[in-house]
Amino acid sequence: MLLAIDAGNTNIVFALLDGGAIKARWRIATDARRTADEYAVWLHQLLLLEGYDRKDVDAVIIATVVPRALHNLEVLASKYFGVDALVAGRGPVEWGITLDVDEPQSVGADRAVNVIAAHKLYPGDLIVIDFGTATTFDVVDYSGAYKGGIIAPGINLSLDALVAAAAKLPRIAIEAPESGSVVGRTTQDQMLIGIYFGYVAMIEGLVARMKAEVGRPMKVVATGGLATLFERHSGAFDAIEPDLTIQGLGILYRRHKGAK
């Protein structure tokens, strides 16, 4: 079985795949100081709870946007699973797609993997939106080439900045407003409306501008933990794929295995 690891700025997702199917997934807060031994203790217990053993893992693939976390994840693979980890975007696991931008070396691993998975699932021109620490909008053309995109502050970052800068504003949970009203009657309601519907307006506005600039019909594929949150009050998404990055890692691994 394949252990796919998506190391993001906020969380690291570990997923167990068998023939491309996701059998289990776990999430832990990203901490570049966490050692391979700490990962192993935590992960071993979770594998057992799901009815698996670490001996079931015969391959590991990693995508990371946190360079400092990579070494300990590679040690985890070698020390506790007895394999050399494959690193997405680094030989022998090259992207296999065209990064048609001015600085291809700067494209985040998660974004490249999302593009690969989205194009496999939905051939044609696409906008891929990933709701993470940052919210990213990526344009994929009909050939599967990555053409560029947008990086915006994630909704939680926006809320944290607002609360940190305004002494009297309380911390609130991010959720879809129960009513569709954009006129709040309390401070908390006004904050929620501003954050939530402000974000919806940003999503819809940027998607409309990107579609107009490309000039061809495009599907919008959303991923990330907050994608379903915005579906309730927005028709911007054609599809939601919560595990897009993990699916992309599975595709990369199968492509690499087939090439061998």
Side-chain angles (χ1 to χ4, degrees):
M1 301 180 78
L2 172 67
L3 179 65
I5 304 174
D6 171 24
N9 288 299
T10 302
N11 292 304
I12 300 180
V13 177
F14 294 78
L16 202 58
L17 287 80
D18 188 6
I22 299 173
K23 297 299 185 181
R25 69 181 66 73
W26 309 280
R27 185 181 302 265
I28 192 171
T30 301
D31 183 349
R33 300 168 300 176
R34 188 172 281 117
T35 67
D37 301 327
E38 290 174 300
Y39 285 124
V41 170
W42 172 80
L43 192 55
H44 179 61
Q45 294 300 316
L46 291 171
L47 284 166
L48 292 177
L49 287 172
E50 295 285 349
Y52 298 104
D53 186 86
R54 61 191 177 98
K55 294 179 182 178
D56 295 323
V57 174
D58 57 14
V60 175
I61 188 168
I62 303 168
T64 181
V65 296
V66 186
R68 288 181 57 214
L70 179 58
H71 173 71
N72 285 325
L73 292 171
E74 289 180 308
V75 173
L76 169 71
S78 61
K79 183 176 180 180
Y80 290 99
F81 295 104
V83 297
D84 292 328
L86 301 168
V87 180
R90 193 173 77 184
V93 192
E94 301 295 343
W95 297 126
I97 60 171
T98 300
L99 300 179
D100 187 13
V101 291
D102 293 342
E103 299 175 337
Q105 72 281 1
S106 298
V107 176
D110 53 346
R111 301 175 75 178
V113 171
N114 285 346
V115 164
I116 291 165
H119 179 68
K120 178 76 171 180
L121 294 170
Y122 305 95
D125 292 288
L126 300 171
I127 297 171
V128 182
I129 307 176
D130 189 351
F131 295 93
T133 306
T135 297
T136 56
F137 298 72
D138 293 312
V139 173
V140 191
D141 75 6
Y142 54 87
S143 72
Y146 172 66
K147 307 298 286 187
I150 296 169
I151 301 173
I155 190 168
N156 284 304
L157 280 181
S158 299
L159 180 58
D160 289 345
L162 178 63
V163 172
K168 294 186 69 175
L169 293 183
R171 183 167 296 279
I172 61 171
I174 298 295
E175 58 187 0
E178 293 187 5
S179 75
S181 174
V182 293
V183 180
R185 304 280 291 177
T186 67
T187 298
Q188 288 89 340
D189 285 346
Q190 292 173 26
M191 290 176 65
L192 182 58
I193 290 166
I195 288 289
Y196 182 87
F197 281 115
Y199 225 74
V200 168
M202 181 192 75
I203 294 165
E204 293 176 342
L206 290 178
V207 165
R209 286 174 177 268
M210 295 175 99
K211 286 182 174 181
E213 185 169 327
V214 172
R216 297 187 298 271
M218 306 181 77
K219 287 185 178 179
V220 179
V221 181
T223 190
L226 294 174
T228 55
L229 181 67
F230 297 105
E231 187 180 27
R232 178 174 170 183
H233 291 292
S234 175
F237 310 144
D238 294 296
I240 294 178
E241 296 287 345
D243 297 308
L244 196 62
T245 312
I246 295 299
Q247 288 173 294
L249 285 171
I251 292 168
L252 271 178
Y253 173 72
R254 293 193 299 276
R255 186 186 297 166
H256 164 74
K257 191 175 180 181
K260 288 180 65 179

